[in-house]
């Protein structure tokens, strides 16, 4: 009887060690953020900075951009002023109060129309969903969020699995 007890004890210790080892390996995988970082964006994906030419119609190289050429269809679009953009921040699995916290953060960064709420579904990470005409604004918002939050991604609302992703021009869903 003593030998059986000792065998079960050894089996329990070895089995527990294996389970803990596998769990540790899983946690290491979860810690490695596989979502894109800001370093993986090409410059074409990021909104352009127009501060270099602000207030001066000529570029730093002396090229004049005033007149008809500046308003032509070939000129790249600039993101709207953050104060004019309606942003819905929805908690979809994050810790309680997260949507309110992110909304306060965005309001401090100039997104005065940011509102907090909740959504259902099994959401993962922080995703900025945007309508077709808001891509530049969403990428600018993504950069603002990346200043304080890790692994923020952006995606068109039409590709979202969550029905609330299209409830505003820009929707930020906070998942687990």
């Amino acid at each position: 009887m003593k030998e059986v007890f000792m065998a079960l004890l050894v089996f329990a210790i070895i089995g527990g060690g294996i389970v803990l080892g596998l769990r540790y390996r899983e946690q290491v995988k979860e810690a490695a953020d596989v979502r894109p970082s800001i370093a993986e964006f090409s410059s074409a994906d990021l909104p352009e900075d127009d501060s270099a030419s602000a207030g001066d119609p000529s570029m730093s190289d002396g090229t004049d951009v005033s007149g008809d050429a500046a308003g032509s269809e070939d000129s790249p679009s600039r993101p709207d002023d953050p104060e004019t953009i309606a942003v819905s921040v929805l908690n979809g699995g994050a810790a309680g109060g997260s949507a309110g916290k992110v909304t306060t953060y965005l309001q401090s960064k100039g997104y005065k129309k940011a509102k907090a709420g909740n959504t259902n579904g099994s959401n993962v990470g922080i995703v900025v969903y945007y309508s077709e005409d808001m891509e530049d604004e969403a990428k600018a918002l993504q950069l603002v969020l990346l200043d304080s939050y890790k692994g923020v991604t952006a995606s068109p609302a039409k590709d979202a699995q969550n029905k609330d992703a299209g409830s505003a021009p820009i929707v930020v869903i906070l998942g687990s």
Side-chain angles (χ1 to χ4, degrees):
M1 181 77 170
K2 195 176 197 182
E3 292 83 21
V4 172
F5 177 73
M6 291 302 286
L8 288 174
L9 183 61
V10 168
F11 179 73
I13 292 171
I14 292 172
I18 291 172
V19 169
L20 287 175
L22 291 174
R23 180 63 186 138
Y24 174 76
R25 197 163 80 190
E26 185 178 311
Q27 287 176 337
V28 168
K29 281 183 186 177
E30 289 174 4
D33 192 12
V34 296
R35 293 169 285 182
S37 72
I38 193 163
E40 294 173 8
F41 288 108
S42 71
S43 59
D45 292 334
L46 302 174
E48 294 182 22
D49 181 9
D50 62 348
S51 60
S53 61
D56 185 7
S58 64
M59 306 269 295
S60 59
D61 64 356
T63 308
D64 185 8
V65 293
S66 61
D68 293 336
S72 73
E73 291 181 49
D74 295 334
S75 65
S77 63
R78 303 276 187 222
D80 288 340
D81 182 16
E83 288 187 7
T84 66
I85 300 171
V87 178
S88 181
V89 181
L90 304 177
N91 189 337
S98 296
K101 190 176 187 181
V102 171
T103 299
T104 301
Y105 171 77
L106 289 177
Q107 288 173 344
S108 75
K109 298 294 185 180
Y111 290 87
K112 302 300 181 195
K113 292 185 175 184
K115 302 284 185 222
N118 293 305
T119 186
N120 295 324
S122 55
N123 303 286
V124 178
I126 301 175
V127 182
V128 178
Y129 291 105
Y130 55 88
S131 59
E132 270 185 37
D133 58 334
M134 298 297 285
E135 183 174 5
D136 289 341
E137 291 80 358
K139 297 230 175 161
L141 175 65
Q142 179 185 17
L143 292 175
V144 168
L145 288 170
L146 280 168
D147 283 342
S148 294
Y149 300 95
K150 184 178 178 183
V152 179
T153 60
S155 180
K158 65 181 175 145
D159 296 342
Q161 299 295 323
N162 189 310
K163 63 178 177 58
D164 292 325
S167 61
I170 297 180
V171 177
V172 178
I173 296 184
L174 311 173
S176 57

